[in-house]
Amino acid sequence: MMRVLPLFLLAAALVPARSGEGPASPALPLRIWVDEFFFAGGETVLLREAVAQSAGAAVVSGTTNNRVFQLKSYQLAEHVDVMWTGQKGCYEAFKRRLNTSHAVSCVPGTNAVTAKAALVTSLAAAYGQAAWSILPQSFRLPQEYSELAAQLKEDERSGASSMWVLKEDVHRGKGVGVVTAHQALFRALERAPDGGRRHVLAQRFLSQQYLVQGRPFYVRLWVVLMGADPARAHLFDGGVAVFGQRQRQGQAADSLIVNLWTQDRAAAAPWSLRQLEQHMAAESGSNEVPRRLRRQIHAAVAASLAAALPAVRQSSGRLAGFQGGSFEVLGVDFLVDAQLRPWLVEVNRMPSLARKVVACADNSSSSSGSNEGGSTSGEGGGGGCQRDVPFDQEKERFVGALLRLLTDRHVQHASLAQQAQRVLQDTSDAAAEGELPPCVSAQQLHQLLEMRVEQAAAQRLGFVSLTPLMYKSLACMAARPVPGSDSSSSSSSSSNDNSNSSSSSSSACDVLAELVPPAPASQQVCTAPPAANEALLARLGGLASRLRLEAVSLLHRLWHPAARHRPAQVQASGPYQRRESDKRLLEWMQQGSPPLDTPQALHDFCALGAASAAAE
């Protein structure tokens, strides 16, 4: 202990301090401390390069490389503006007293959507059956094994082909396998080597995927979630499409699984999102196709983040030091089906922000991100450095835009804090003369003022604000029908494919209405009836398949106690109870977020939501 104390004093002395405990002076640069040991190799290189290109607006004031023997960002809060750290570091930071000027690189409670099974739980609790218009129908394991078995039997009775994906609670392309219905029942309760359950999720497989030049793909996007109450969400306007194996007749269903970590990027270089949209427009002959895809992606991401907000607010409320100055980068992955409709697959915490072409010391790129169709030799392959690789180029654009967004917040923070104090003082003086007192505290008003400036800066920097859609989704959650058999987390008999979302639930919400899938192909195409002998063989085959399913599920109920357990409905607590502040904030945004710089403007803001509250 005697040796640690001098290190602390030395580190504190080497970092320039700022006078006072209030907001930092905007004349000084944004100071970022990086807890490097939380990140894999290369994960912070783009951040450091963006800082170096900021013309002094930001600096990396320190780095912690050792988990044990060096001070962490949260232990030097007085000398840091941004703590770029891991999840454990964030929670340690929020246990301490932070200034409102601090920014910490995680938002408490986001594991409600970043964990595979938790994503399903959160969406089902928020939207009931309509959750399956956002992501493919899913069952948590082992809790919902009985519901999975019932759905598979229903599929067999209806004659629907059924392939499923079994997912383990691991990341970076591991623990994902495509299986038949019988295999899904047989393997769903497998044990892992450590004795626990191997699989946490069974998800309906998207077999009819949109292919680009014969290849399946997934789309990776980056969204920044900021704060908790008010929460804000900004989706970066760029992204990448990562391709899988070229499809050939007779290939196994596993070939449709796209895995960035094992793919041959020399054979199929990733595209930018803009390249993908140009291809879709050219192939369809309409620019409306990629526009519709964007709208649906925006709705799905906003609805997913809204589903996490109850957990985010609950978690942040338990942390004494949480002051709203947090942000978290989430990687959002989508598949696109043959009808050009996106399906959410995963929300990733701490997505990789490392370059894939590691031979480049500087993969500088244009701001447009539109080096259309250029190929790459892959990670280190082909010898030389490949410039303008879309995968790296889009990441560079995103990290640079995020740094500028944080820098803008830093520059504006002090003046907005002073403005909030002035407006509240003037409003309090008016309240003393008989008017109603303000409905917000100084910190809340400061965040509202920051939110308005932040939203304009985000748009300028290439982000799309999802905040209005996110608060609309909270209204959808509050309007969800009372829990019952038709809104269980795993719809067991409503339909036989991903179009089984409840139309009544979706129609009550214009956000989710954007995601209502078209009618299944079986309802769109009329076919000639089969010959009598073919129909008989088909019925006999279906009967045999159903008997096999019954046998497998019965054996598992005998062997595995978890298979006999029926879980409590995740929606038992009822629809989301929307806060008055949520209603007020949504109405304010729908009016264009007018300035709150006078007592009258604040009075008008506080009056918002009253009409809808009275109607409810």
Side-chain angles (χ1 to χ4, degrees):
M1 183 66 188
M2 293 299 294
R3 299 188 62 181
V4 175
L5 184 57
L7 289 174
F8 175 85
L9 294 175
L10 177 62
L14 291 176
V15 181
R18 287 177 175 163
S19 60
E21 296 185 358
S25 167
L28 295 174
L30 178 74
R31 301 167 301 173
I32 304 172
W33 192 286
V34 181
D35 289 333
E36 190 76 45
F37 65 90
F38 279 115
F39 302 94
E43 293 286 348
T44 64
V45 170
L46 292 180
L47 171 65
R48 294 176 185 275
E49 290 180 1
V51 168
Q53 296 168 9
S54 69
V59 295
V60 176
S61 59
T63 300
T64 301
N65 294 303
N66 189 289
R67 186 183 297 269
V68 179
F69 298 107
Q70 289 182 295
L71 295 172
K72 321 300 186 294
S73 61
Y74 52 83
Q75 294 170 316
L76 295 164
E78 294 181 1
H79 310 283
V80 176
D81 300 309
V82 175
M83 303 174 197
W84 199 277
T85 186
Q87 189 175 45
K88 289 183 179 179
C90 290
Y91 278 85
E92 287 297 325
F94 289 129
K95 291 177 183 177
R96 291 160 166 77
R97 184 177 297 278
L98 301 179
N99 293 331
T100 58
S101 60
H102 283 122
V104 186
S105 63
C106 83
V107 175
T110 53
N111 58 313
V113 289
T114 58
K116 290 181 173 68
L119 173 64
V120 171
T121 300
S122 297
L123 287 175
Y127 307 111
Q129 291 283 6
W132 315 133
S133 65
I134 300 171
L135 79 168
Q137 186 186 17
S138 306
F139 298 86
R140 296 169 298 149
L141 298 173
Q143 304 99 305
E144 295 178 337
Y145 181 85
S146 296
E147 289 85 346
L148 172 63
Q151 181 63 61
L152 297 180
K153 294 170 190 175
E154 175 63 24
D155 288 353
E156 287 290 344
R157 280 192 293 271
S158 64
S161 61
S162 181
M163 299 291 288
W164 292 80
V165 179
L166 292 179
K167 293 186 175 183
E168 302 177 35
D169 195 20
V170 293
H171 301 282
R172 301 202 165 185
K174 300 177 181 178
V176 178
V178 181
V179 295
T180 64
H182 301 90
Q183 292 170 331
L185 274 185
F186 191 77
R187 295 180 53 192
L189 301 179
E190 282 181 340
R191 291 282 183 181
D194 62 1
R197 297 291 176 188
R198 178 183 297 275
H199 302 108
V200 298
L201 206 65
Q203 190 170 76
R204 192 178 288 278
F205 178 61
L206 195 65
S207 57
Q208 298 298 318
Q209 296 184 28
Y210 177 65
L211 304 180
V212 173
Q213 299 173 359
R215 296 181 183 274
F217 64 92
Y218 76 87
V219 175
R220 161 60 62 88
L221 304 169
W222 300 283
V223 62
V224 183
L225 181 64
M226 308 188 80
D229 193 11
R232 295 92 66 202
H234 307 295
L235 180 69
F236 186 58
D237 199 36
V240 290
V242 180
F243 297 100
Q245 302 177 33
R246 190 181 300 278
Q247 298 300 291
R248 297 177 177 84
Q249 190 170 7
Q251 271 186 304
D254 279 73
S255 65
L256 281 168
I257 295 290
V258 183
N259 185 347
L260 170 66
W261 302 97
T262 60
Q263 73 155 172
D264 180 8
R265 285 187 290 273
W271 282 3
S272 68
L273 181 60
R274 183 170 301 183
Q275 285 175 269
L276 176 65
E277 290 176 331
Q278 289 177 344
H279 173 84
M280 295 174 73
E283 191 171 69
S284 65
S286 170
N287 288 323
E288 177 57 25
V289 170
R291 291 195 195 105
R292 183 177 67 245
L293 181 73
R294 284 259 190 170
R295 291 196 302 270
Q296 292 173 328
I297 286 176
H298 294 174
V301 176
S304 301
L305 295 178
L309 279 188
V312 165
R313 288 171 173 175
Q314 184 179 50
S315 297
S316 60
R318 294 172 179 167
L319 297 168
F322 185 81
Q323 37 44 291
S326 64
F327 67 96
E328 184 159 354
V329 175
L330 301 172
V332 189
D333 295 340
F334 284 89
L335 296 177
V336 180
D337 67 18
Q339 295 172 322
L340 301 179
R341 185 186 182 284
W343 292 93
L344 177 66
V345 179
E346 282 186 353
V347 179
N348 298 277
R349 181 176 61 86
M350 290 180 67
S352 172
L353 293 177
R355 282 197 177 92
K356 294 305 171 188
V357 181
V358 295
C360 292
D362 175 24
N363 182 39
S364 57
S365 58
S366 65
S367 61
S368 66
S370 59
N371 178 33
E372 315 305 317
S375 64
T376 174
S377 60
E379 188 171 356
C385 172
Q386 298 290 323
R387 298 283 179 175
D388 294 332
V389 178
F391 201 102
D392 294 346
Q393 188 182 45
E394 293 296 284
K395 283 186 179 180
E396 290 171 5
R397 291 178 57 227
F398 167 69
V399 174
L402 173 60
L403 178 65
R404 290 193 292 275
L405 186 63
L406 296 174
T407 303
D408 279 5
R409 174 186 181 273
H410 170 69
V411 170
Q412 298 279 350
H413 183 85
S415 62
L416 292 175
Q418 294 170 0
Q419 182 180 353
Q421 291 284 0
R422 177 182 56 77
V423 172
L424 272 182
Q425 182 61 51
D426 293 345
T427 306
S428 298
D429 293 343
E433 298 176 4
E435 295 186 16
L436 291 175
C439 60
V440 293
S441 66
Q443 181 173 329
Q444 290 170 328
L445 179 57
H446 183 197
Q447 290 184 347
L448 288 170
L449 296 175
E450 281 193 323
M451 176 179 169
R452 185 172 181 272
V453 174
E454 173 189 287
Q455 190 156 318
Q459 185 175 2
R460 185 180 71 252
L461 293 169
F463 291 92
V464 177
S465 175
L466 297 185
T467 308
L469 280 176
M470 188 167 62
Y471 279 83
K472 282 185 179 181
S473 298
L474 289 179
C476 298
M477 292 162 57
R480 183 177 59 80
V482 176
S485 59
D486 65 335
S487 61
S488 65
S489 66
S490 46
S491 62
S492 59
S493 60
S494 58
S495 185
N496 301 317
D497 56 22
N498 288 328
S499 64
N500 62 355
S501 57
S502 166
S503 59
S504 61
S505 297
S506 295
S507 61
C509 170
D510 57 350
V511 178
L512 296 183
E514 186 72 55
L515 296 169
V516 175
S522 60
Q523 298 178 18
Q524 297 175 354
V525 181
C526 295
T527 57
N533 58 338
E534 293 177 354
L536 177 61
L537 290 174
R539 286 197 295 271
L540 290 175
L543 177 61
S545 183
R546 288 196 294 275
L547 289 175
R548 287 197 300 271
L549 282 174
E550 290 286 357
V552 171
S553 61
L554 177 61
L555 288 174
H556 273 66
R557 286 192 181 92
L558 294 175
W559 291 340
H560 299 282
R564 300 194 295 268
H565 173 67
R566 288 190 71 87
Q569 300 294 339
V570 296
Q571 295 92 346
S573 59
Y576 173 70
Q577 298 298 315
R578 197 158 59 122
R579 301 179 180 185
E580 290 299 318
S581 58
D582 293 338
K583 303 172 187 176
R584 188 182 299 119
L585 195 61
L586 178 58
E587 286 194 32
W588 180 61
M589 288 186 288
Q590 289 174 333
Q591 293 179 2
S593 305
L596 301 176
D597 52 0
T598 65
Q600 182 59 49
L602 185 57
H603 179 272
D604 293 343
F605 172 80
C606 290
L608 295 175
S612 59
E616 292 176 8

